[in-house]
């Protein structure tokens, strides 16, 4: 779409016409000869002396070129611009951090895959996370894994392909056999320090109890609440299948109550799917759309056309004037006289 940055300059288009109508014509004084017998001469010639002036008349071509040049100057000053199609950029309004337990109990095979095979808890978590991430197109995602200690596996990113690739690389026990819930949540709070998102959410997946974190889970939950984080906790697997101690639901529910999140139990694959669907409903997709229309300046085109017309006209007129001078001199015989003089001088040379 063609637009002008300063369209009001079009009001200057009639300015040359107004100047021609209301301003006095240009006058140029020249030297003259005063004759004391001027009155006698006019009387003998029978003419009436009047103030005289030579008025230079413009041709139609000159008038057209002047108007076109003025139009191009105004067009260049008005800054014509070509505005392209709008380009939309989606800006995430939420940062979502996943906390995945990699303790030894996550290798218990009490889940069934989509293919009907028995798989361990971590593999089931990975499968469901892939589906969940596919629906979070506009969220920045991060991943923290924890066992004896907590580590940032994926910092916040909009590149979900990288997130899933690094998620596939995590293995049971790679962070140690224990379960440091409080330390993992504390690290998540720290990971949000540089976040500018309006909504900050943590989803923690674990199948065990805290085993002596340096930061107790209630303290970590209070820190998360002060930073505006919402923490959802998912208890994964059936404790009776491996004989481990049951989840400390009281502590986990206290974390979610403090931060305004929810506590969920997922004892099988359908239950895990249902949990993520519920969290998806609790955390709707929010995003901001930034619209930008690229603008390309075009003022150099009318400016260049004006220069071409102006320089071209003066060049043509200079050549025309020179040719007329040559033609006039040739018609008056000046060249023949000069030629004969040149021949006479040539014969006089020794």
């Amino acid at each position: 779409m063609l637009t002008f940055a300063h369209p009001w300059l079009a009001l200057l288009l009639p300015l040359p016409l107004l100047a021609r109508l209301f301003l006095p014509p240009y006058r140029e004084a020249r030297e003259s000869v005063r004759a004391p017998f001027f009155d006698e001469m006019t009387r003998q010639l029978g003419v009436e002396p009047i103030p005289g002036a030579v008025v230079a008349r413009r041709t139609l071509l000159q008038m057209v070129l002047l108007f076109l040049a003025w139009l191009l100057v105004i067009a260049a000053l008005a800054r014509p611009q070509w505005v392209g199609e709008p380009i939309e950029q989606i800006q995430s309004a939420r940062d979502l951090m996943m906390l995945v337990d990699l303790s030894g109990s996550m290798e218990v095979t009490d889940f069934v895959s989509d293919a009907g095979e028995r798989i361990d808890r971590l593999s089931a978590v990975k499968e469901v996370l892939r589906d969940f991430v596919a629906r979070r197109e506009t969220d920045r995602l991060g991943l923290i894994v924890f066992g004896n200690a907590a580590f940032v596996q994926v910092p916040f990113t909009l590149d979900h392909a990288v997130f899933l690739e690094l998620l596939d690389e995590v293995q049971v026990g790679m962070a140690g056999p224990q379960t440091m819930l409080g330390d993992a949540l504390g690290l998540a709070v720290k990971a949000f320090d540089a976040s500018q998102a309006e909504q900050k959410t943590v989803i923690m997946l674990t199948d065990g109890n805290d085993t002596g974190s340096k930061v107790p889970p209630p303290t970590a939950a209070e820190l998360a609440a002060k930073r505006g984080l919402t923490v959802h906790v998912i208890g994964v697997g059936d404790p009776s299948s491996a004989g481990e101690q049951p989840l400390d639901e009281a502590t986990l529910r206290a974390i979610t109550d403090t931060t305004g999140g929810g506590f969920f139990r997922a004892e099988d694959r359908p239950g895990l799917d249902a949990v993520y669907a519920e969290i998806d409903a609790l955390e709707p997709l929010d995003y901001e759309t930034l619209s930008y229309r690229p603008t390309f300046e075009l003022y150099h085109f009318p400016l260049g056309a004006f220069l071409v017309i102006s320089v071209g006209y003066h060049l043509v007129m200079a050549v025309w004037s020179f040719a007329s001078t040559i033609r006039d001199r040739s018609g008056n015989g000046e060249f023949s006289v000069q030629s004969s003089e040149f021949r006479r001088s040539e014969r006089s040379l020794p």
Side-chain angles (χ1 to χ4, degrees):
M1 181 178 63
L2 182 64
T3 61
F4 290 88
H6 309 296
W8 57 270
L9 287 174
L11 298 174
L12 299 179
L13 283 175
L15 186 60
L17 179 60
L18 296 176
R20 181 179 178 85
L21 293 176
F22 297 105
L23 294 180
Y26 172 73
R27 299 178 182 274
E28 182 178 347
R30 294 188 177 182
E31 294 182 356
S32 60
V33 178
R34 298 176 64 94
F37 47 85
F38 181 75
D39 293 338
E40 181 65 25
M41 183 174 59
T42 55
R43 191 180 307 111
Q44 294 294 330
L45 293 176
V47 296
E48 182 70 23
I50 58 175
V54 177
V55 179
R57 299 294 180 182
R58 293 189 180 93
T59 65
L60 179 60
L61 177 61
Q62 289 176 322
M63 297 294 291
V64 171
L65 291 179
L66 283 174
F67 174 76
L68 182 58
W70 179 249
L71 180 63
L72 292 172
V73 169
I74 295 300
L77 291 175
R79 284 183 58 195
Q81 299 171 335
W82 182 263
V83 181
E85 295 297 324
I87 299 175
E88 292 187 351
Q89 179 182 6
I90 296 177
Q91 184 176 8
S92 175
R94 179 191 295 109
D95 284 347
L96 184 60
M97 179 63 76
M98 306 285 187
L99 275 59
V100 177
D101 185 357
L102 299 183
S103 61
S105 57
M106 290 294 287
E107 65 181 356
V108 176
T109 55
D110 55 356
F111 280 81
V112 179
S113 68
D114 293 335
E117 301 177 352
R118 295 193 68 82
I119 58 176
D120 58 67
R121 295 173 178 177
L122 180 59
S123 297
V125 168
K126 289 181 180 180
E127 286 187 0
V128 178
L129 272 179
R130 291 189 192 96
D131 297 335
F132 182 74
V133 169
R135 297 194 297 268
R136 317 303 299 187
E137 297 179 357
T138 61
D139 287 346
R140 286 204 316 163
L141 302 179
L143 176 63
I144 291 177
V145 296
F146 62 97
N148 287 21
F151 304 93
V152 176
Q153 176 74 358
V154 184
F156 286 118
T157 179
L158 282 171
D159 193 338
H160 294 177
V162 171
F163 176 90
L164 293 176
E165 182 177 347
L166 294 175
L167 173 65
D168 288 337
E169 293 182 0
V170 301
Q171 301 294 330
V172 174
M174 65 181 294
Q178 297 181 347
T179 307
M180 301 297 185
L181 292 176
D183 291 346
L185 185 54
L187 182 59
V189 172
K190 183 175 179 60
F192 280 95
D193 283 347
S195 173
Q196 301 296 325
E198 295 181 5
Q199 299 184 20
K200 304 173 184 179
T201 304
V202 176
I203 298 178
M204 177 185 292
L205 301 100
T206 182
D207 68 345
N209 299 320
D210 185 77
T211 54
S213 294
K214 295 179 181 179
V215 180
T219 303
E222 292 177 1
L223 292 174
K226 290 179 180 179
R227 299 292 181 88
L229 274 63
T230 301
V231 181
H232 303 291
V233 179
I234 302 175
V236 181
D238 181 6
S240 63
S241 63
E244 67 259 36
Q245 294 181 355
L247 290 172
D248 184 2
E249 292 191 12
T251 299
L252 298 180
R253 290 183 183 277
I255 292 174
T256 57
D257 291 343
T258 301
T259 61
F263 174 77
F264 308 92
R265 288 294 302 268
E267 299 181 357
D268 52 22
R269 174 61 191 272
L272 195 56
D273 287 332
V275 167
Y276 273 110
E278 187 172 350
I279 292 178
D280 216 4
L282 290 175
E283 300 289 341
L285 290 173
D286 290 333
Y287 57 89
E288 298 176 358
T289 301
L290 303 179
S291 182
Y292 167 73
R293 304 192 70 171
T295 302
F296 306 95
E297 296 288 346
L298 303 176
Y299 68 90
H300 49 279
F301 288 108
L303 184 60
F306 164 75
L307 293 176
V308 169
I309 291 176
S310 179
V311 174
Y313 172 75
H314 285 88
L315 286 177
V316 170
M317 294 305 298
V319 172
W320 180 269
S321 177
F322 180 75
S324 299
T325 302
I326 297 297
R327 187 170 55 253
D328 292 342
R329 289 181 179 179
S330 177
N332 293 333
E334 294 181 15
F335 280 97
S336 59
V337 173
Q338 292 176 0
S339 299
S340 61
E341 291 177 355
F342 176 76
R343 286 194 295 270
R344 287 197 298 270
S345 63
E346 188 178 34
R347 287 195 296 268
S348 65
L349 292 173

